[in-house]
PDB file of all heavy atoms in Angstrom:
ATOM      1  N   ALA A 201      18.904  33.783  11.476  1.00 96.00           N
ATOM      2  CA  ALA A 201      18.970  34.995  12.299  1.00 96.00           C
ATOM      3  C   ALA A 201      19.195  34.644  13.771  1.00 96.00           C
ATOM      4  O   ALA A 201      20.028  35.264  14.450  1.00 96.00           O
ATOM      5  CB  ALA A 201      17.685  35.807  12.137  1.00 96.00           C
ATOM      6  N   LEU A 202      18.448  33.643  14.275  1.00 96.00           N
ATOM      7  CA  LEU A 202      18.622  33.229  15.666  1.00 96.00           C
ATOM      8  C   LEU A 202      20.009  32.629  15.896  1.00 96.00           C
ATOM      9  O   LEU A 202      20.622  32.850  16.955  1.00 96.00           O
ATOM     10  CB  LEU A 202      17.538  32.206  16.042  1.00 96.00           C
ATOM     11  CG  LEU A 202      16.108  32.745  16.124  1.00 96.00           C
ATOM     12  CD1 LEU A 202      15.128  31.599  16.391  1.00 96.00           C
ATOM     13  CD2 LEU A 202      15.989  33.802  17.220  1.00 96.00           C
ATOM     14  N   SER A 203      20.496  31.874  14.917  1.00 96.00           N
ATOM     15  CA  SER A 203      21.822  31.254  15.038  1.00 96.00           C
ATOM     16  C   SER A 203      22.919  32.315  15.104  1.00 96.00           C
ATOM     17  O   SER A 203      23.870  32.188  15.887  1.00 96.00           O
ATOM     18  CB  SER A 203      22.075  30.315  13.855  1.00 96.00           C
ATOM     19  OG  SER A 203      21.131  29.264  13.831  1.00 96.00           O
ATOM     20  N   LEU A 204      22.791  33.362  14.297  1.00 97.00           N
ATOM     21  CA  LEU A 204      23.767  34.447  14.331  1.00 97.00           C
ATOM     22  C   LEU A 204      23.705  35.196  15.658  1.00 97.00           C
ATOM     23  O   LEU A 204      24.740  35.650  16.178  1.00 97.00           O
ATOM     24  CB  LEU A 204      23.534  35.409  13.162  1.00 97.00           C
ATOM     25  CG  LEU A 204      23.831  34.831  11.774  1.00 97.00           C
ATOM     26  CD1 LEU A 204      23.438  35.835  10.681  1.00 97.00           C
ATOM     27  CD2 LEU A 204      25.309  34.458  11.636  1.00 97.00           C
ATOM     28  N   LEU A 205      22.497  35.305  16.224  1.00 97.00           N
ATOM     29  CA  LEU A 205      22.359  35.928  17.544  1.00 97.00           C
ATOM     30  C   LEU A 205      23.044  35.084  18.616  1.00 97.00           C
ATOM     31  O   LEU A 205      23.784  35.609  19.467  1.00 97.00           O
ATOM     32  CB  LEU A 205      20.871  36.110  17.874  1.00 97.00           C
ATOM     33  CG  LEU A 205      20.549  36.724  19.244  1.00 97.00           C
ATOM     34  CD1 LEU A 205      21.128  38.134  19.348  1.00 97.00           C
ATOM     35  CD2 LEU A 205      19.042  36.742  19.485  1.00 97.00           C
ATOM     36  N   VAL A 206      22.816  33.762  18.554  1.00 96.00           N
ATOM     37  CA  VAL A 206      23.472  32.845  19.503  1.00 96.00           C
ATOM     38  C   VAL A 206      24.992  32.903  19.324  1.00 96.00           C
ATOM     39  O   VAL A 206      25.749  32.906  20.307  1.00 96.00           O
ATOM     40  CB  VAL A 206      22.961  31.401  19.292  1.00 96.00           C
ATOM     41  CG1 VAL A 206      23.801  30.400  20.079  1.00 96.00           C
ATOM     42  CG2 VAL A 206      21.500  31.299  19.702  1.00 96.00           C
ATOM     43  N   ALA A 207      25.443  32.971  18.080  1.00 97.00           N
ATOM     44  CA  ALA A 207      26.882  33.045  17.809  1.00 97.00           C
ATOM     45  C   ALA A 207      27.488  34.324  18.373  1.00 97.00           C
ATOM     46  O   ALA A 207      28.609  34.313  18.914  1.00 97.00           O
ATOM     47  CB  ALA A 207      27.128  32.962  16.308  1.00 97.00           C
ATOM     48  N   THR A 208      26.755  35.433  18.260  1.00 97.00           N
ATOM     49  CA  THR A 208      27.237  36.702  18.809  1.00 97.00           C
ATOM     50  C   THR A 208      27.409  36.616  20.320  1.00 97.00           C
ATOM     51  O   THR A 208      28.395  37.110  20.885  1.00 97.00           O
ATOM     52  CB  THR A 208      26.257  37.837  18.459  1.00 97.00           C
ATOM     53  OG1 THR A 208      26.095  37.898  17.038  1.00 97.00           O
ATOM     54  CG2 THR A 208      26.770  39.175  18.962  1.00 97.00           C
ATOM     55  N   VAL A 209      26.454  35.972  20.978  1.00 97.00           N
ATOM     56  CA  VAL A 209      26.546  35.778  22.433  1.00 97.00           C
ATOM     57  C   VAL A 209      27.708  34.850  22.775  1.00 97.00           C
ATOM     58  O   VAL A 209      28.479  35.116  23.710  1.00 97.00           O
ATOM     59  CB  VAL A 209      25.219  35.227  22.989  1.00 97.00           C
ATOM     60  CG1 VAL A 209      25.353  34.881  24.474  1.00 97.00           C
ATOM     61  CG2 VAL A 209      24.093  36.226  22.776  1.00 97.00           C
ATOM     62  N   ALA A 210      27.852  33.764  22.014  1.00 97.00           N
ATOM     63  CA  ALA A 210      28.929  32.791  22.279  1.00 97.00           C
ATOM     64  C   ALA A 210      30.301  33.434  22.143  1.00 97.00           C
ATOM     65  O   ALA A 210      31.237  33.091  22.876  1.00 97.00           O
ATOM     66  CB  ALA A 210      28.804  31.612  21.313  1.00 97.00           C
ATOM     67  N   PHE A 211      30.432  34.378  21.214  1.00 97.00           N
ATOM     68  CA  PHE A 211      31.714  35.049  21.001  1.00 97.00           C
ATOM     69  C   PHE A 211      32.148  35.860  22.219  1.00 97.00           C
ATOM     70  O   PHE A 211      33.346  36.079  22.434  1.00 97.00           O
ATOM     71  CB  PHE A 211      31.624  35.960  19.773  1.00 97.00           C
ATOM     72  CG  PHE A 211      32.905  36.683  19.456  1.00 97.00           C
ATOM     73  CD1 PHE A 211      33.910  36.058  18.745  1.00 97.00           C
ATOM     74  CD2 PHE A 211      33.112  37.997  19.880  1.00 97.00           C
ATOM     75  CE1 PHE A 211      35.103  36.723  18.454  1.00 97.00           C
ATOM     76  CE2 PHE A 211      34.293  38.661  19.602  1.00 97.00           C
ATOM     77  CZ  PHE A 211      35.290  38.024  18.888  1.00 97.00           C
ATOM     78  N   GLN A 212      31.196  36.295  23.034  1.00 96.00           N
ATOM     79  CA  GLN A 212      31.514  37.155  24.174  1.00 96.00           C
ATOM     80  C   GLN A 212      32.207  36.407  25.304  1.00 96.00           C
ATOM     81  O   GLN A 212      32.859  37.024  26.148  1.00 96.00           O
ATOM     82  CB  GLN A 212      30.233  37.811  24.714  1.00 96.00           C
ATOM     83  CG  GLN A 212      29.385  38.527  23.686  1.00 96.00           C
ATOM     84  CD  GLN A 212      30.166  39.562  22.889  1.00 96.00           C
ATOM     85  OE1 GLN A 212      30.935  40.347  23.447  1.00 96.00           O
ATOM     86  NE2 GLN A 212      29.974  39.559  21.565  1.00 96.00           N
ATOM     87  N   PHE A 213      32.088  35.088  25.343  1.00 97.00           N
ATOM     88  CA  PHE A 213      32.649  34.315  26.453  1.00 97.00           C
ATOM     89  C   PHE A 213      34.098  33.934  26.151  1.00 97.00           C
ATOM     90  O   PHE A 213      34.382  33.364  25.093  1.00 97.00           O
ATOM     91  CB  PHE A 213      31.834  33.047  26.695  1.00 97.00           C
ATOM     92  CG  PHE A 213      30.447  33.321  27.197  1.00 97.00           C
ATOM     93  CD1 PHE A 213      29.369  33.312  26.323  1.00 97.00           C
ATOM     94  CD2 PHE A 213      30.225  33.591  28.535  1.00 97.00           C
ATOM     95  CE1 PHE A 213      28.091  33.564  26.774  1.00 97.00           C
ATOM     96  CE2 PHE A 213      28.940  33.851  29.002  1.00 97.00           C
ATOM     97  CZ  PHE A 213      27.874  33.845  28.124  1.00 97.00           C
ATOM     98  N   PRO A 214      35.018  34.230  27.061  1.00 96.00           N
ATOM     99  CA  PRO A 214      36.418  33.830  26.843  1.00 96.00           C
ATOM    100  C   PRO A 214      36.568  32.316  26.870  1.00 96.00           C
ATOM    101  O   PRO A 214      35.731  31.597  27.434  1.00 96.00           O
ATOM    102  CB  PRO A 214      37.154  34.485  28.018  1.00 96.00           C
ATOM    103  CG  PRO A 214      36.117  34.730  29.053  1.00 96.00           C
ATOM    104  CD  PRO A 214      34.836  34.960  28.320  1.00 96.00           C
ATOM    105  N   LEU A 215      37.660  31.819  26.299  1.00 96.00           N
ATOM    106  CA  LEU A 215      37.863  30.378  26.194  1.00 96.00           C
ATOM    107  C   LEU A 215      38.034  29.710  27.544  1.00 96.00           C
ATOM    108  O   LEU A 215      37.718  28.520  27.699  1.00 96.00           O
ATOM    109  CB  LEU A 215      39.070  30.087  25.299  1.00 96.00           C
ATOM    110  CG  LEU A 215      38.782  29.826  23.812  1.00 96.00           C
ATOM    111  CD1 LEU A 215      37.987  28.526  23.648  1.00 96.00           C
ATOM    112  CD2 LEU A 215      38.026  30.973  23.165  1.00 96.00           C
ATOM    113  N   ARG A 216      38.507  30.451  28.545  1.00 96.00           N
ATOM    114  CA  ARG A 216      38.647  29.837  29.875  1.00 96.00           C
ATOM    115  C   ARG A 216      37.287  29.463  30.454  1.00 96.00           C
ATOM    116  O   ARG A 216      37.152  28.455  31.161  1.00 96.00           O
ATOM    117  CB  ARG A 216      39.397  30.766  30.823  1.00 96.00           C
ATOM    118  CG  ARG A 216      38.803  32.155  30.979  1.00 96.00           C
ATOM    119  CD  ARG A 216      39.619  33.049  31.899  1.00 96.00           C
ATOM    120  NE  ARG A 216      39.113  34.404  31.910  1.00 96.00           N
ATOM    121  CZ  ARG A 216      38.064  34.804  32.617  1.00 96.00           C
ATOM    122  NH1 ARG A 216      37.421  33.928  33.391  1.00 96.00           N
ATOM    123  NH2 ARG A 216      37.653  36.058  32.573  1.00 96.00           N
ATOM    124  N   LEU A 217      36.247  30.253  30.136  1.00 97.00           N
ATOM    125  CA  LEU A 217      34.905  29.913  30.599  1.00 97.00           C
ATOM    126  C   LEU A 217      34.351  28.709  29.845  1.00 97.00           C
ATOM    127  O   LEU A 217      33.667  27.854  30.426  1.00 97.00           O
ATOM    128  CB  LEU A 217      33.966  31.118  30.449  1.00 97.00           C
ATOM    129  CG  LEU A 217      34.225  32.305  31.383  1.00 97.00           C
ATOM    130  CD1 LEU A 217      33.177  33.387  31.169  1.00 97.00           C
ATOM    131  CD2 LEU A 217      34.216  31.858  32.848  1.00 97.00           C
ATOM    132  N   TRP A 218      34.631  28.635  28.545  1.00 97.00           N
ATOM    133  CA  TRP A 218      34.210  27.465  27.767  1.00 97.00           C
ATOM    134  C   TRP A 218      34.888  26.211  28.306  1.00 97.00           C
ATOM    135  O   TRP A 218      34.272  25.140  28.360  1.00 97.00           O
ATOM    136  CB  TRP A 218      34.545  27.656  26.288  1.00 97.00           C
ATOM    137  CG  TRP A 218      33.629  28.596  25.571  1.00 97.00           C
ATOM    138  CD1 TRP A 218      33.935  29.835  25.098  1.00 97.00           C
ATOM    139  CD2 TRP A 218      32.248  28.392  25.249  1.00 97.00           C
ATOM    140  NE1 TRP A 218      32.838  30.411  24.504  1.00 97.00           N
ATOM    141  CE2 TRP A 218      31.784  29.546  24.576  1.00 97.00           C
ATOM    142  CE3 TRP A 218      31.357  27.334  25.470  1.00 97.00           C
ATOM    143  CZ2 TRP A 218      30.475  29.670  24.123  1.00 97.00           C
ATOM    144  CZ3 TRP A 218      30.040  27.462  25.012  1.00 97.00           C
ATOM    145  CH2 TRP A 218      29.619  28.615  24.349  1.00 97.00           C
ATOM    146  N   GLN A 219      36.156  26.329  28.714  1.00 97.00           N
ATOM    147  CA  GLN A 219      36.861  25.169  29.266  1.00 97.00           C
ATOM    148  C   GLN A 219      36.239  24.732  30.586  1.00 97.00           C
ATOM    149  O   GLN A 219      36.078  23.534  30.846  1.00 97.00           O
ATOM    150  CB  GLN A 219      38.341  25.498  29.468  1.00 97.00           C
ATOM    151  CG  GLN A 219      39.167  24.296  29.930  1.00 97.00           C
ATOM    152  CD  GLN A 219      40.648  24.581  29.957  1.00 97.00           C
ATOM    153  OE1 GLN A 219      41.086  25.720  29.753  1.00 97.00           O
ATOM    154  NE2 GLN A 219      41.436  23.552  30.198  1.00 97.00           N
ATOM    155  N   GLN A 220      35.878  25.697  31.432  1.00 97.00           N
ATOM    156  CA  GLN A 220      35.242  25.361  32.705  1.00 97.00           C
ATOM    157  C   GLN A 220      33.875  24.714  32.500  1.00 97.00           C
ATOM    158  O   GLN A 220      33.474  23.828  33.262  1.00 97.00           O
ATOM    159  CB  GLN A 220      35.104  26.614  33.562  1.00 97.00           C
ATOM    160  CG  GLN A 220      36.432  27.211  34.026  1.00 97.00           C
ATOM    161  CD  GLN A 220      36.262  28.581  34.660  1.00 97.00           C
ATOM    162  OE1 GLN A 220      35.148  29.044  34.897  1.00 97.00           O
ATOM    163  NE2 GLN A 220      37.385  29.247  34.931  1.00 97.00           N
ATOM    164  N   ALA A 221      33.165  25.160  31.471  1.00 97.00           N
ATOM    165  CA  ALA A 221      31.809  24.658  31.221  1.00 97.00           C
ATOM    166  C   ALA A 221      31.786  23.370  30.419  1.00 97.00           C
ATOM    167  O   ALA A 221      30.735  22.706  30.348  1.00 97.00           O
ATOM    168  CB  ALA A 221      30.986  25.723  30.498  1.00 97.00           C
ATOM    169  N   ALA A 222      32.914  22.977  29.809  1.00 97.00           N
ATOM    170  CA  ALA A 222      32.944  21.838  28.878  1.00 97.00           C
ATOM    171  C   ALA A 222      32.363  20.550  29.469  1.00 97.00           C
ATOM    172  O   ALA A 222      31.504  19.909  28.833  1.00 97.00           O
ATOM    173  CB  ALA A 222      34.366  21.612  28.369  1.00 97.00           C
ATOM    174  N   PRO A 223      32.772  20.105  30.689  1.00 96.00           N
ATOM    175  CA  PRO A 223      32.202  18.858  31.225  1.00 96.00           C
ATOM    176  C   PRO A 223      30.695  18.944  31.454  1.00 96.00           C
ATOM    177  O   PRO A 223      29.968  17.965  31.219  1.00 96.00           O
ATOM    178  CB  PRO A 223      32.951  18.665  32.556  1.00 96.00           C
ATOM    179  CG  PRO A 223      34.192  19.478  32.429  1.00 96.00           C
ATOM    180  CD  PRO A 223      33.813  20.643  31.580  1.00 96.00           C
ATOM    181  N   TYR A 224      30.218  20.120  31.883  1.00 97.00           N
ATOM    182  CA  TYR A 224      28.784  20.288  32.157  1.00 97.00           C
ATOM    183  C   TYR A 224      27.974  20.321  30.858  1.00 97.00           C
ATOM    184  O   TYR A 224      26.858  19.783  30.798  1.00 97.00           O
ATOM    185  CB  TYR A 224      28.551  21.557  32.974  1.00 97.00           C
ATOM    186  CG  TYR A 224      29.352  21.591  34.252  1.00 97.00           C
ATOM    187  CD1 TYR A 224      30.492  22.376  34.363  1.00 97.00           C
ATOM    188  CD2 TYR A 224      28.987  20.799  35.346  1.00 97.00           C
ATOM    189  CE1 TYR A 224      31.243  22.394  35.533  1.00 97.00           C
ATOM    190  CE2 TYR A 224      29.727  20.816  36.524  1.00 97.00           C
ATOM    191  CZ  TYR A 224      30.861  21.606  36.601  1.00 97.00           C
ATOM    192  OH  TYR A 224      31.606  21.609  37.756  1.00 97.00           O
ATOM    193  N   LEU A 225      28.525  20.949  29.834  1.00 97.00           N
ATOM    194  CA  LEU A 225      27.858  20.956  28.532  1.00 97.00           C
ATOM    195  C   LEU A 225      27.793  19.549  27.950  1.00 97.00           C
ATOM    196  O   LEU A 225      26.781  19.158  27.342  1.00 97.00           O
ATOM    197  CB  LEU A 225      28.596  21.886  27.559  1.00 97.00           C
ATOM    198  CG  LEU A 225      28.511  23.380  27.863  1.00 97.00           C
ATOM    199  CD1 LEU A 225      29.420  24.171  26.927  1.00 97.00           C
ATOM    200  CD2 LEU A 225      27.076  23.874  27.745  1.00 97.00           C
ATOM    201  N   PHE A 226      28.869  18.784  28.156  1.00 97.00           N
ATOM    202  CA  PHE A 226      28.891  17.404  27.663  1.00 97.00           C
ATOM    203  C   PHE A 226      27.828  16.556  28.369  1.00 97.00           C
ATOM    204  O   PHE A 226      27.121  15.760  27.740  1.00 97.00           O
ATOM    205  CB  PHE A 226      30.279  16.802  27.882  1.00 97.00           C
ATOM    206  CG  PHE A 226      30.487  15.483  27.177  1.00 97.00           C
ATOM    207  CD1 PHE A 226      30.749  15.441  25.820  1.00 97.00           C
ATOM    208  CD2 PHE A 226      30.420  14.285  27.873  1.00 97.00           C
ATOM    209  CE1 PHE A 226      30.940  14.236  25.154  1.00 97.00           C
ATOM    210  CE2 PHE A 226      30.605  13.077  27.226  1.00 97.00           C
ATOM    211  CZ  PHE A 226      30.871  13.054  25.868  1.00 97.00           C
ATOM    212  N   LEU A 227      27.695  16.749  29.688  1.00 96.00           N
ATOM    213  CA  LEU A 227      26.647  16.039  30.446  1.00 96.00           C
ATOM    214  C   LEU A 227      25.262  16.474  29.979  1.00 96.00           C
ATOM    215  O   LEU A 227      24.339  15.649  29.897  1.00 96.00           O
ATOM    216  CB  LEU A 227      26.813  16.304  31.938  1.00 96.00           C
ATOM    217  CG  LEU A 227      27.997  15.610  32.625  1.00 96.00           C
ATOM    218  CD1 LEU A 227      28.115  16.079  34.071  1.00 96.00           C
ATOM    219  CD2 LEU A 227      27.826  14.087  32.585  1.00 96.00           C
ATOM    220  N   LEU A 228      25.098  17.768  29.690  1.00 96.00           N
ATOM    221  CA  LEU A 228      23.819  18.264  29.166  1.00 96.00           C
ATOM    222  C   LEU A 228      23.487  17.592  27.841  1.00 96.00           C
ATOM    223  O   LEU A 228      22.343  17.159  27.620  1.00 96.00           O
ATOM    224  CB  LEU A 228      23.887  19.778  28.994  1.00 96.00           C
ATOM    225  CG  LEU A 228      22.692  20.436  28.292  1.00 96.00           C
ATOM    226  CD1 LEU A 228      21.421  20.254  29.121  1.00 96.00           C
ATOM    227  CD2 LEU A 228      22.958  21.923  28.037  1.00 96.00           C
ATOM    228  N   GLY A 229      24.479  17.496  26.954  1.00 95.00           N
ATOM    229  CA  GLY A 229      24.265  16.840  25.672  1.00 95.00           C
ATOM    230  C   GLY A 229      23.895  15.378  25.831  1.00 95.00           C
ATOM    231  O   GLY A 229      22.995  14.872  25.147  1.00 95.00           O
ATOM    232  N   ALA A 230      24.583  14.678  26.763  1.00 95.00           N
ATOM    233  CA  ALA A 230      24.268  13.270  27.019  1.00 95.00           C
ATOM    234  C   ALA A 230      22.850  13.132  27.554  1.00 95.00           C
ATOM    235  O   ALA A 230      22.108  12.210  27.169  1.00 95.00           O
ATOM    236  CB  ALA A 230      25.279  12.681  27.999  1.00 95.00           C
ATOM    237  N   GLY A 231      22.446  14.053  28.436  1.00 95.00           N
ATOM    238  CA  GLY A 231      21.082  14.018  28.971  1.00 95.00           C
ATOM    239  C   GLY A 231      20.032  14.217  27.895  1.00 95.00           C
ATOM    240  O   GLY A 231      18.992  13.544  27.882  1.00 95.00           O
ATOM    241  N   LEU A 232      20.310  15.119  26.951  1.00 94.00           N
ATOM    242  CA  LEU A 232      19.371  15.348  25.843  1.00 94.00           C
ATOM    243  C   LEU A 232      19.285  14.126  24.931  1.00 94.00           C
ATOM    244  O   LEU A 232      18.199  13.799  24.419  1.00 94.00           O
ATOM    245  CB  LEU A 232      19.803  16.574  25.039  1.00 94.00           C
ATOM    246  CG  LEU A 232      19.664  17.931  25.737  1.00 94.00           C
ATOM    247  CD1 LEU A 232      20.269  19.036  24.884  1.00 94.00           C
ATOM    248  CD2 LEU A 232      18.201  18.235  26.036  1.00 94.00           C
ATOM    249  N   LEU A 233      20.416  13.433  24.734  1.00 94.00           N
ATOM    250  CA  LEU A 233      20.408  12.216  23.912  1.00 94.00           C
ATOM    251  C   LEU A 233      19.592  11.109  24.581  1.00 94.00           C
ATOM    252  O   LEU A 233      18.944  10.315  23.900  1.00 94.00           O
ATOM    253  CB  LEU A 233      21.840  11.738  23.672  1.00 94.00           C
ATOM    254  CG  LEU A 233      22.691  12.582  22.724  1.00 94.00           C
ATOM    255  CD1 LEU A 233      24.099  12.008  22.617  1.00 94.00           C
ATOM    256  CD2 LEU A 233      22.057  12.671  21.340  1.00 94.00           C
ATOM    257  N   VAL A 234      19.640  11.045  25.914  1.00 93.00           N
ATOM    258  CA  VAL A 234      18.809  10.076  26.640  1.00 93.00           C
ATOM    259  C   VAL A 234      17.342  10.474  26.529  1.00 93.00           C
ATOM    260  O   VAL A 234      16.463   9.634  26.288  1.00 93.00           O
ATOM    261  CB  VAL A 234      19.241   9.993  28.117  1.00 93.00           C
ATOM    262  CG1 VAL A 234      18.246   9.146  28.920  1.00 93.00           C
ATOM    263  CG2 VAL A 234      20.644   9.414  28.241  1.00 93.00           C
ATOM    264  N   LEU A 235      17.074  11.772  26.692  1.00 93.00           N
ATOM    265  CA  LEU A 235      15.697  12.261  26.675  1.00 93.00           C
ATOM    266  C   LEU A 235      15.022  12.009  25.330  1.00 93.00           C
ATOM    267  O   LEU A 235      13.827  11.689  25.274  1.00 93.00           O
ATOM    268  CB  LEU A 235      15.702  13.762  26.989  1.00 93.00           C
ATOM    269  CG  LEU A 235      14.344  14.413  27.279  1.00 93.00           C
ATOM    270  CD1 LEU A 235      13.706  13.785  28.512  1.00 93.00           C
ATOM    271  CD2 LEU A 235      14.514  15.916  27.487  1.00 93.00           C
ATOM    272  N   VAL A 236      15.781  12.127  24.234  1.00 92.00           N
ATOM    273  CA  VAL A 236      15.195  11.970  22.905  1.00 92.00           C
ATOM    274  C   VAL A 236      14.755  10.524  22.656  1.00 92.00           C
ATOM    275  O   VAL A 236      13.915  10.265  21.779  1.00 92.00           O
ATOM    276  CB  VAL A 236      16.201  12.430  21.823  1.00 92.00           C
ATOM    277  CG1 VAL A 236      17.213  11.348  21.504  1.00 92.00           C
ATOM    278  CG2 VAL A 236      15.478  12.870  20.556  1.00 92.00           C
ATOM    279  N   LEU A 237      15.297   9.576  23.438  1.00 90.00           N
ATOM    280  CA  LEU A 237      14.939   8.171  23.269  1.00 90.00           C
ATOM    281  C   LEU A 237      13.740   7.763  24.113  1.00 90.00           C
ATOM    282  O   LEU A 237      13.232   6.649  23.970  1.00 90.00           O
ATOM    283  CB  LEU A 237      16.141   7.284  23.630  1.00 90.00           C
ATOM    284  CG  LEU A 237      17.379   7.423  22.734  1.00 90.00           C
ATOM    285  CD1 LEU A 237      18.526   6.596  23.285  1.00 90.00           C
ATOM    286  CD2 LEU A 237      17.064   7.000  21.306  1.00 90.00           C
ATOM    287  N   VAL A 238      13.285   8.648  24.993  1.00 88.00           N
ATOM    288  CA  VAL A 238      12.136   8.341  25.846  1.00 88.00           C
ATOM    289  C   VAL A 238      10.865   8.336  25.006  1.00 88.00           C
ATOM    290  O   VAL A 238      10.573   9.322  24.307  1.00 88.00           O
ATOM    291  CB  VAL A 238      12.017   9.375  26.990  1.00 88.00           C
ATOM    292  CG1 VAL A 238      10.763   9.106  27.817  1.00 88.00           C
ATOM    293  CG2 VAL A 238      13.258   9.342  27.862  1.00 88.00           C
ATOM    294  N   PRO A 239      10.093   7.246  25.029  1.00 84.00           N
ATOM    295  CA  PRO A 239       8.851   7.191  24.243  1.00 84.00           C
ATOM    296  C   PRO A 239       7.896   8.317  24.637  1.00 84.00           C
ATOM    297  O   PRO A 239       7.681   8.588  25.813  1.00 84.00           O
ATOM    298  CB  PRO A 239       8.265   5.818  24.606  1.00 84.00           C
ATOM    299  CG  PRO A 239       9.437   5.016  25.064  1.00 84.00           C
ATOM    300  CD  PRO A 239      10.358   5.979  25.732  1.00 84.00           C
ATOM    301  N   GLY A 240       7.351   8.972  23.628  1.00 80.00           N
ATOM    302  CA  GLY A 240       6.435  10.072  23.880  1.00 80.00           C
ATOM    303  C   GLY A 240       7.108  11.422  24.015  1.00 80.00           C
ATOM    304  O   GLY A 240       6.439  12.458  23.982  1.00 80.00           O
TER     305      GLY A 240
END
């Protein structure tokens, strides 16, 4: 249910906004991958 809600929101954004956000989302993902390796 939450995933479908997130998908509904994601559908509202045009592709030009996704393109502008792509580098920042990639950096966010890299940061989360670093964070998951931190002990504790």
